[in-house]
Amino acid sequence: MRRWLTALAVAVVTTGVGISVNIATDLGSNMWAWIAVAVLTLAAAVVAAWTMRPAQPQAHTGTSNVVGGEVTGTVVQANTINGDLHLG
């Protein structure tokens, strides 16, 4: 759901910036049109920062690694080991 919401927010702000730039350039010296361009440009920056915010990490609970047989070569542990570690 968050992907769709961010995509919609980006589309709306981008469209608003484009429309406000067209109006501001057509009206020339209209201060309110140029203020709208500045405000919508700042809104685009906020939306961009919002979409780049990292997702909340998922909690890992109840995970166990069981290896049957003999392990040779390099072994890489991809997560923090919590609890007891039994070798052999």
Side-chain angles (χ1 to χ4, degrees), residues 37-51:
V37 170
V39 168
L40 287 171
T41 301
L42 289 175
V46 169
V47 169
W50 179 53
T51 58

Side-chain angles (χ1 to χ4, degrees), residues 8-68:
L8 180 63
V10 168
V12 168
V13 172
T14 302
T15 301
V17 170
I19 291 170
S20 65
V21 166
N22 278 340
I23 292 172
T25 54
D26 283 346
L27 297 179
S29 62
N30 187 322
M31 178 185 67
W32 291 109
W34 289 107
I35 290 173
V37 170
V39 168
L40 287 171
T41 301
L42 289 175
V46 169
V47 169
W50 179 53
T51 58
M52 293 173 44
R53 188 181 72 215
Q56 297 295 328
Q58 295 180 354
H60 296 285
T61 58
T63 303
S64 64
N65 294 327
V66 178
V67 178

